[in-house]
Amino acid sequence: MTTAPTITTEHLNLRAHRASDMDAFWDFYQTPRADFMDKPQNRSHLWYGLMAEVGSWVVDGHGGWAVDLHDGTLIGQVAILQPPHFAETELGWLLFDGYEGLGYAHEAAEAALNFARETVKPASLVSYIHRDNTRSKRLAERLGATPDPQAKEHDDEDNVYRHVGRAA
Amino acid sequence: MIATLADTPVLETERLTLRAPIPSDIEPWVAFLMSERGVWHGGGPDAGEGVAWRVAATFVGHWVLNGFGLFVALDRESGRPVASSGPYAPPDFPEIEVGWSVWAGADEGKGYASEAARAVIAHCRDDLKMPTLVSYIAPENTRSCALAERLGAWRDKDANGPHPDDLVYRHYGVAA
C-alpha cells in the first residue's frame, strides 16, 4: 500500500498516518489551539478528514504526514493538499498543546516545504491562515513566505501566504 | 510522483473488472458524488466539490489504512469506470457495510450495481472472511432497498445502523 514517505529531521519524523492517530487528533481539536481551524463536529468527521489526507497521497502524490518526536510521541501534522475547491496547493501545519515554542512546527513545515519544492513541484504553494492566527503567520514568514493580498482566499477570514509561484 | 495502491485484489464478473481506485477515477467519482444520487454517499448537489473530493479521497485512504475498501468497476469492453462497490468500515458503523453506486445516470438500469455488489459480497465472505456484512440504506432510497433484496439480503430490525433512520439489510452473519 502506498503511504507518505518518512522524512527524518533533526528532532522529528514525518511519517504516514496510522488509524491509531485518531485519538490524539480528536484531543487536539478539543483544545483552544484548534480555534483557528475547521474543527470536525464529531469523531466521524475527523475520521473522514484523516482518511482523505491519507487517500490524497494516492490521488495527488501528496497529502498529510503525522509528526513524531524521535521517541515516537505524536506531536502534530503537516500536509500538502489540493482539494479542487482550493485555488492553489496548500501547505498546512498543526502542533499539539505543550510542544509549541521549541521550533518543531518550523522544522516539520520546512521539511514538507522542501519535499514540495523537490518532489511535488506544484505550480504554486500557499498557506491559508486565519487573519488572527499571529503565531502561524509568523511561522509562515520565517519559512520565507510573503502575504499575497491578491491571492484568492479559501475563506473570508484567511490571509494567504505565498511560498512558491504566483496566483493563477 | 503519483503513487498507486499496490497488492490489491481484482475481481472479475461477466462484464466488469473491479479493482482498487486509481487517480484518474477521482474526476468521474467526484462528478457522481456531486450529483443528485451522490446524496446517499455523503455528497449531493448542495455539498459542493470540496466535500465530494473529500469523500472520494476518503474512499481511497480507507484502502491504505484498512487494507480493503471500495472497488471501482470498469466496463471491460470500453475500459470505462461505471460503478463502485466495496466493504466500508468507518468508526461509527456498528458492522462492516457494503455499498454500491452506478456513477452516470445513463448507466443505471444495466445491472452494473448488482453485478458488482454480488462479486464484492462473495469476496467479503469467502476471501476476506468478514464475519458479518450489512448495507445501511435510507428508507427513501427505494432503488437501493430493492437491490439489497434482489441480492438476497434481509431486513434486520434488531440491528442498529449509524443513523437511527437507516434500514439495516443483512447479507450474512449475525449482529454482535
Side-chain angles (χ1 to χ4, degrees):
Chain A
M1 293 288 171
T2 304
T3 51
T6 299
I7 299 176
T8 298
T9 63
E10 191 184 348
H11 303 99
L12 307 172
N13 289 318
L14 279 57
R15 61 155 173 87
H17 278 300
R18 299 190 279 259
S20 58
D21 294 342
M22 273 277 294
D23 287 341
F25 281 93
W26 179 250
D27 291 345
F28 164 76
Y29 280 109
Q30 311 315 308
T31 68
R33 289 182 63 75
D35 285 351
F36 294 123
M37 307 183 63
D38 296 328
K39 289 190 191 194
Q41 291 159 26
N42 52 50
R43 287 183 69 96
S44 285
H45 281 201
L46 172 62
W47 182 88
Y48 281 107
L50 203 61
M51 282 288 168
E53 283 151 10
V54 172
S56 174
W57 281 101
V58 178
V59 175
D60 289 337
H62 53 76
W65 282 274
V67 178
D68 278 353
L69 297 177
H70 285 178
D71 70 3
T73 308
L74 176 60
I75 64 162
Q77 184 191 43
V78 285
I80 302 167
L81 293 169
Q82 190 174 19
H85 64 305
F86 281 16
E88 302 178 65
T89 307
E90 195 208 13
L91 170 65
W93 50 79
L94 67 87
L95 200 63
F96 295 165
D97 207 12
Y99 297 98
E100 68 273 28
L102 300 166
Y104 293 150
H106 181 265
E107 191 172 322
E110 190 169 54
L113 183 58
N114 289 339
F115 181 84
R117 285 204 171 104
E118 289 158 18
T119 306
V120 181
K121 300 186 174 124
S124 66
L125 184 71
V126 297
S127 292
Y128 300 110
I129 305 179
H130 190 284
R131 60 190 178 206
D132 298 330
N133 191 352
T134 49
R135 294 192 67 162
S136 250
K137 288 162 79 165
R138 212 156 55 221
L139 174 52
E141 285 170 5
R142 283 217 324 278
L143 289 166
T146 48
D148 182 351
Q150 310 299 322
K152 190 171 176 293
E153 305 99 344
H154 167 49
D155 188 298
D156 289 347
E157 297 183 341
D158 285 344
N159 291 151
V160 182
Y161 279 77
R162 178 164 305 285
H163 302 280
V164 174
R166 277 183 297 173
Chain B
M1 181 196 75
I2 300 283
T4 52
L5 290 164
D7 306 321
T8 50
V10 174
L11 312 179
E12 302 276 351
T13 67
E14 193 189 339
R15 293 174 295 168
L16 303 173
T17 296
L18 281 70
R19 53 138 178 79
I22 61 172
S24 61
D25 296 332
I26 296 303
E27 196 182 321
W29 211 342
V30 165
F32 160 70
L33 288 164
M34 289 174 70
S35 74
E36 294 287 344
R37 293 178 300 120
V39 80
W40 311 118
H41 304 272
D46 298 335
E49 194 179 16
V51 170
W53 182 88
R54 205 165 83 147
V55 172
T58 296
F59 290 150
V60 178
H62 190 285
W63 275 98
V64 180
L65 289 198
N66 294 306
F68 61 87
L70 271 63
F71 292 88
V72 173
L74 311 178
D75 167 50
R76 217 168 17 250
E77 208 175 285
S78 65
R80 199 165 53 89
V82 293
S84 50
S85 178
Y88 192 50
D92 58 337
F93 280 21
E95 298 176 67
I96 296 176
E97 198 218 11
V98 60
W100 46 75
S101 43
V102 174
W103 291 359
D107 284 325
E108 285 191 287
K110 296 180 179 172
Y112 286 147
S114 63
E115 192 171 322
R118 245 178 250 285
V120 163
I121 293 163
H123 174 63
C124 290
R125 188 183 49 222
D126 302 336
D127 302 332
L128 300 178
K129 316 278 186 205
M130 290 173 172
T132 71
L133 193 68
V134 296
S135 293
Y136 300 120
I137 308 178
E140 312 87 81
N141 191 355
T142 50
R143 291 191 68 161
S144 253
C145 293
L147 176 51
E149 286 172 15
R150 285 210 308 283
L151 290 167
W154 65 95
R155 277 280 305 282
D156 184 343
K157 293 182 182 167
D158 298 327
N160 293 318
H163 307 292
D165 295 340
D166 288 338
L167 305 180
V168 181
Y169 282 90
R170 182 167 301 284
H171 298 281
Y172 65 82
V174 187

